[in-house]
Amino acid sequence: MATKLALARRLKKNLSELLESSTSSVPRSDYETLFADLNGTLEEYLDPQSISDIFKATIFGANAHKGQKRKSGEDFIYHPMAVAKILGEMRMDSRTIIAAILHDVIEDTDTSLKRLEKKFGREIAHLVNGVSKVNHLEEQTSRKHAEAVSFGKMFVATADDIRVIIIKLADRLHNMTTLDSLDRDRQNRIARQTLEIYAPVAYRLGMYDLALKLEDLGFQRLYPWRHKTLGRAVQTTSSARKKMVRRASKQIADALANDDIEVSIVSKSLYYIYRTMEKSGITLHDIKDIYSIRIITRTRKQCYESIGVAHEVFRPLPGNFKDFIAIPKTNGYQSLHTMIVGPNGQAIEIQVQTRAMHIIAKSGVASLNMPDEILNEEGLPTKHLAHEWVSSIVESHELSSTSGEFMEHLKTALFPDEVYVFTPKGDIKRLPVDATALDFAYSVHTDIGNESIGAIVNDQPVPLHEVLNNGDRIEIKTRKPANPNISWLDFVTTSRAKTAIRHHFNIQRKQQALQFGKKLLFTALHNVGYTRRISETEKNRLLKELKIDTWNQLLSDIGSGSRLPLLVARQLADLSSENIEALDSATTTNLTIEGTENLVVTHSKCCYPVPGDKIYGIYYPGKGLVVHRNQCSNTNVRTQPLENCVHLNWSKDIIGCYEASLIAEIADEPGMLWKVAGIIANHDSNINGITMNAEPFGTARLSILLLVRNNQHLAKIIRDLESTSTVYKVYRP
């Protein structure tokens, strides 16, 4: 008692000294009122010096936001103070509380990050900067893009310090309670974003209490009528079920008869019930786990013993026991789950945790600030798993080529129904349901994924698209160099795998664009009569004229179709000190297609050119060079301006398979498709697509899309098809 009194006197002295020495223009009484509510929470667990530092931040924040009002009309400073109180109730450290009080000063005042760092230190400045939006993008880009960039920035900062995301979640929680002053559209947008991003992030970090509050506020704001109606329905229809669960919990508690063990009843949230009904198409009456029995023990051993007692009192439902203590969930959640047949034959869920696990389940990563004597369990994995997940999000952000792609990956990563698989060494990997062996490979390391050629699951060789099941043991077979296939995107499920594959091909596309752009510019220069080496002076002049930083960037722009090579060649010729005349069209140099430019050169789908055909190319903005056959009948192609066109040749050494289109007029008889497919297969060709339409007089028209090596290969297929008596005509459209 004496110690607490001494601390209180010391605190009061410190605060008085701060107020006397403060040069703030805000009245002293206002500071005391502002700080009083937060102070009551902080005194429960922080020392006087820490509270004194927080009070300094309060003075600084109040001055920085002086004169600013929220949409509700209240002084702006009350919002960060409310956020600080939320974090105080979560027992966060003093530096997190200070960052919460200051979290809007960079974004909404003229306070610079440098000044903040000088006043409060690098650690707090980093936290504040991580929470702040990237405001300068708002006017230049769409709102969705700006939000995606801000989310990316926040997760990068969170990778260094998990407290960044905790502050942001508390900030969103308070904002959700003050939406009434906003217009309805903005309320809906914020509520939807809360349900789609913020609440799932809180769940993913194990912060169940905060997640439930965010969900309830978001659900109530976005669907007020549904929230109200469902709430009434739960109250009126589930009272009998609650009595039955209470009766079962008493029987289990009596059987346990241990002062160290608590037995209670918990209920599912309205949003969980709503989502279950919406997703499964069931009624409220069909949801069996609205009420559950929770058993809290002191030790892990007591958890397993309590499950045994519960199974002695009530018969367990087979196949419903889940051990999340031995194998925690991805967010670090640990508990034993089982289903029993309770009174009246109704199924009841039971959850069993230690007290430490219960604290972790409620507060997640925020609970790691609790005293060691509370969290004395070994192997609580929450912090490690949270950092692992955040790091994977940061990796997706770094590898994503667009903000939309990053947001797609983030949302995918927030809703994983999981399977648990094992590495050859016995380590556990958590993957989403329907994850494949290739997803597993990328979860180990990006290089392993890129170099994958197959997998061994439970000692049996399987393809990379094999879907994994709980308990599978996987070994990945690799081969260097890395050779991913773009078709992998069709079957991988994890955002990490999708991002890594796309990143690989983005890098490859840039390299191809650079090399192809060099060839295109060389050909165009030759065709305008510029045949000598380009000097560095001329390069620099052209780059300055085009406002491009590097020569390689210019070549990449040409190769990817962003700039026309002929126009660039003419600009370079105009900047040259020599008098250059264009060559005659008779001496025009053709560009050679090597077959290695597949990511920057597109083969037209209107005429399907294959090696051996006479071809030309057309540039389309943002699409690059598109190859057409000379006989292409597409009128849009024929009307393209000459500067968009380039003469092309196939390389004599070109290899690979190319799509070709055939039209076959055949007799409409049974077995004709089988005959046609057999002839094509005999020529070592695959059919990618085939359609058949009935025609008059007992005939039919086949449209066939097949793979061939060149036009000679295609000609042999056409010849053999035409030699069949029931095939009347075959031709390329």
Side-chain angles (χ1 to χ4, degrees):
M1 184 71 179
T3 303
K4 287 187 176 181
L5 184 61
L7 288 174
R9 287 174 178 170
R10 181 183 170 191
L11 173 60
K12 186 175 181 180
K13 181 176 182 295
N14 288 342
L15 297 183
S16 297
E17 290 174 354
L18 280 169
L19 288 170
E20 294 297 338
S21 62
S22 173
T23 57
S24 169
S25 57
V26 180
R28 171 175 173 169
S29 60
D30 287 354
Y31 279 128
E32 291 174 331
T33 302
L34 188 63
F35 193 72
D37 194 27
L38 174 62
N39 186 54
T41 301
L42 301 180
E43 281 183 324
E44 296 176 7
Y45 73 102
L46 287 180
D47 60 86
Q49 183 57 54
S50 296
I51 297 177
S52 179
D53 292 339
I54 293 170
F55 191 70
K56 288 179 183 178
T58 304
I59 295 174
F60 185 92
N63 281 317
H65 290 294
K66 184 182 178 184
Q68 292 182 342
K69 300 283 186 180
R70 303 193 80 204
K71 292 284 186 181
S72 60
E74 68 179 0
D75 289 340
F76 193 96
I77 186 61
Y78 285 95
H79 164 65
M81 293 300 291
V83 174
K85 188 170 190 302
I86 292 171
L87 295 170
E89 291 169 349
M90 294 164 61
R91 299 299 190 261
M92 297 301 295
D93 63 278
S94 62
R95 292 174 296 284
T96 307
I97 304 295
I98 290 171
I101 292 171
L102 304 174
H103 79 268
D104 279 326
V105 295
I106 296 177
E107 187 178 326
D108 294 317
T109 76
D110 58 2
T111 304
S112 66
L113 180 63
K114 187 174 182 181
R115 182 187 174 197
L116 200 68
E117 183 176 334
K118 185 177 180 181
K119 181 77 174 177
F120 294 98
R122 180 174 298 179
E123 181 182 2
I124 290 172
H126 171 76
L127 293 173
V128 173
N129 187 46
V131 176
S132 301
K133 296 177 185 175
V134 186
N135 276 339
H136 67 275
L137 291 172
E138 295 285 357
E139 297 179 0
Q140 302 170 12
T141 60
S142 68
R143 174 177 50 79
K144 286 186 177 180
H145 174 70
E147 287 177 353
V149 173
S150 293
F151 273 121
K153 173 177 176 281
M154 179 180 67
F155 276 105
V156 169
T158 300
D160 293 330
D161 196 323
I162 201 73
R163 293 174 295 177
V164 170
I165 196 75
I166 296 175
I167 296 171
K168 189 62 181 178
L169 290 171
D171 172 57
R172 176 50 62 111
L173 179 60
H174 183 253
N175 280 332
M176 286 299 297
T177 65
T178 59
L179 291 181
D180 288 335
S181 56
L182 304 180
D183 62 79
R184 187 62 191 173
D185 286 345
R186 194 172 177 192
Q187 288 184 33
N188 288 345
R189 177 175 62 82
I190 293 173
R192 183 172 285 105
Q193 188 185 63
T194 299
L195 291 174
E196 292 180 354
I197 302 292
Y198 285 98
V201 166
Y203 273 121
R204 199 58 180 72
L205 298 176
M207 303 172 70
Y208 280 78
D209 275 5
L210 186 58
L212 287 171
K213 292 175 183 176
L214 289 170
E215 279 187 344
D216 186 64
L217 290 167
F219 181 34
Q220 187 175 4
R221 185 66 61 173
L222 194 60
Y223 305 112
W225 184 84
R226 298 180 195 181
H227 182 275
K228 186 176 181 180
T229 303
L230 184 59
R232 288 175 177 171
V234 169
Q235 284 183 342
T236 56
T237 62
S238 61
S239 58
R241 181 168 180 80
K242 189 174 183 180
K243 289 179 182 178
M244 182 266 295
V245 174
R246 185 181 293 114
R247 178 180 158 195
S249 69
K250 186 178 185 308
Q251 288 180 252
I252 293 173
D254 291 343
L256 289 169
N258 190 322
D259 293 338
D260 287 337
I261 297 176
E262 303 170 11
V263 181
S264 61
I265 298 176
V266 292
S267 60
K268 292 294 192 291
S269 69
L270 285 182
Y271 188 65
Y272 169 85
I273 296 170
Y274 169 73
R275 288 283 292 161
T276 302
M277 294 169 62
E278 183 184 50
K279 186 176 180 180
S280 304
I282 60 178
T283 65
L284 179 62
H285 179 75
D286 295 323
I287 301 178
K288 305 302 182 185
D289 59 347
I290 293 178
Y291 297 104
S292 303
I293 297 173
R294 176 178 290 157
I295 301 173
I296 305 296
T297 72
R298 186 171 53 83
T299 66
R300 289 177 182 235
K301 184 179 179 182
Q302 286 178 327
C303 288
Y304 292 96
E305 291 173 345
S306 299
I307 281 285
V309 171
H311 286 176
E312 286 180 357
V313 177
F314 295 103
R315 179 169 56 85
L317 278 173
N320 286 277
F321 176 72
K322 297 177 182 178
D323 190 342
F324 295 120
I325 294 179
I327 305 178
K329 287 189 176 183
T330 312
N331 59 7
Y333 174 85
Q334 290 185 291
S335 180
L336 299 178
H337 287 196
T338 188
M339 295 287 287
I340 61 168
V341 180
N344 303 327
Q346 295 199 34
I348 303 174
E349 182 187 50
I350 299 179
Q351 305 167 6
V352 188
Q353 301 170 302
T354 66
R355 288 185 178 85
M357 291 173 191
H358 182 56
I359 292 171
I360 291 287
K362 290 174 62 179
S363 303
V365 292
S367 64
L368 300 174
N369 294 284
M370 296 289 182
D372 291 339
E373 59 267 21
I374 296 178
L375 301 182
N376 58 3
E377 293 275 346
E378 293 183 2
L380 292 174
T382 302
K383 187 173 183 179
H384 166 72
L385 291 172
H387 277 293
E388 189 179 80
W389 178 72
V390 170
S391 297
S392 72
I393 297 299
V394 171
E395 183 180 12
S396 291
H397 175 258
E398 292 172 347
L399 298 181
S400 296
S401 56
T402 65
S403 59
E405 185 180 314
F406 166 64
M407 290 304 292
E408 174 194 336
H409 294 160
L410 175 59
K411 289 181 180 180
T412 301
L414 286 173
F415 299 98
D417 290 328
E418 298 163 341
V419 295
Y420 299 88
V421 297
F422 296 89
T423 69
K425 294 182 178 179
D427 296 329
I428 297 172
K429 285 286 182 181
R430 299 164 180 83
L431 295 169
V433 169
D434 296 329
T436 63
L438 187 58
D439 287 301
F440 171 84
Y442 277 106
S443 75
V444 176
H445 197 279
T446 300
D447 290 343
I448 299 295
N450 286 340
E451 296 167 6
S452 298
I453 59 172
I456 298 175
V457 176
N458 302 327
D459 300 322
Q460 296 295 321
V462 298
L464 291 172
H465 58 72
E466 180 80 4
V467 175
L468 303 178
N469 298 305
N470 269 323
D472 284 347
R473 192 170 74 81
I474 305 110
E475 182 180 350
I476 298 298
K477 296 157 62 178
T478 61
R479 181 173 59 204
K480 294 184 178 181
N483 190 30
N485 192 310
I486 196 71
S487 65
W488 288 358
L489 289 171
D490 295 334
F491 61 80
V492 293
T493 62
T494 60
S495 60
R496 178 168 184 165
K498 290 179 180 179
T499 302
I501 294 167
R502 285 173 178 156
H503 179 68
H504 173 86
F505 283 101
N506 285 339
I507 295 297
Q508 199 175 67
R509 184 179 288 108
K510 289 177 182 178
Q511 293 171 346
Q512 287 187 11
L514 176 62
Q515 296 302 319
F516 192 55
K518 188 182 296 184
K519 289 174 59 177
L520 287 168
L521 183 58
F522 175 81
T523 302
L525 286 171
H526 188 275
N527 289 339
V528 299
Y530 193 115
T531 56
R532 61 178 177 78
R533 183 183 180 87
I534 308 171
S535 68
E536 290 299 319
T537 301
E538 289 169 334
K539 286 182 179 180
N540 291 332
R541 284 179 187 172
L542 182 61
L543 292 175
K544 186 176 181 181
E545 178 83 11
L546 298 176
K547 297 180 180 179
I548 298 177
D549 294 332
T550 66
W551 187 252
N552 281 350
Q553 181 60 54
L554 174 61
L555 296 179
S556 294
D557 287 350
I558 294 171
S560 61
S562 300
R563 295 181 184 274
L564 296 176
L566 186 59
L567 295 182
V568 174
R570 287 173 179 169
Q571 287 175 294
L572 187 59
D574 291 340
L575 292 173
S576 175
S577 57
E578 296 185 8
N579 184 24
I580 297 173
E581 297 181 0
L583 299 179
D584 295 335
S585 58
T587 60
T588 297
T589 300
N590 288 3
L591 179 71
T592 300
I593 298 295
E594 304 285 349
T596 57
E597 318 90 346
N598 59 306
L599 295 178
V600 291
V601 172
T602 304
H603 293 217
S604 171
K605 301 298 183 183
C606 57
C607 57
Y608 290 100
V610 299
D613 291 335
K614 292 183 178 180
I615 54 174
Y616 66 101
I618 296 178
Y619 287 97
Y620 295 95
K623 193 173 182 180
L625 186 67
V626 180
V627 181
H628 293 266
R629 291 163 56 204
N630 282 2
Q631 298 95 329
C632 183
S633 59
N634 191 328
T635 54
N636 291 330
V637 171
R638 293 293 182 183
T639 57
Q640 290 294 320
L642 289 177
E643 59 266 25
N644 286 20
C645 302
V646 60
H647 296 281
L648 301 175
N649 288 330
W650 296 103
S651 168
K652 293 180 180 179
D653 301 323
I654 195 167
I655 58 174
C657 290
Y658 297 82
E659 283 190 328
S661 178
L662 288 181
I663 301 295
E665 295 178 5
I666 63 173
D668 191 358
E669 297 177 357
M672 278 304 299
L673 276 178
W674 177 81
K675 288 182 182 179
V676 170
I679 292 171
I680 293 172
N682 288 338
H683 284 275
D684 195 25
S685 174
N686 283 334
I687 296 176
N688 279 2
I690 188 167
T691 58
M692 181 175 177
N693 295 311
E695 299 283 332
F697 311 112
T699 63
R701 178 186 174 94
L702 284 181
S703 298
I704 309 168
L705 193 62
L706 67 162
L707 293 177
V708 296
R709 294 183 292 276
N710 49 47
N711 62 354
Q712 293 178 350
H713 185 198
L714 182 60
K716 291 178 181 178
I717 295 173
I718 293 174
R719 185 179 64 244
D720 276 10
L721 286 172
E722 288 181 329
S723 67
T724 304
S725 60
T726 48
V727 176
Y728 304 133
K729 186 178 181 181
V730 182
Y731 59 93
R732 296 175 70 181

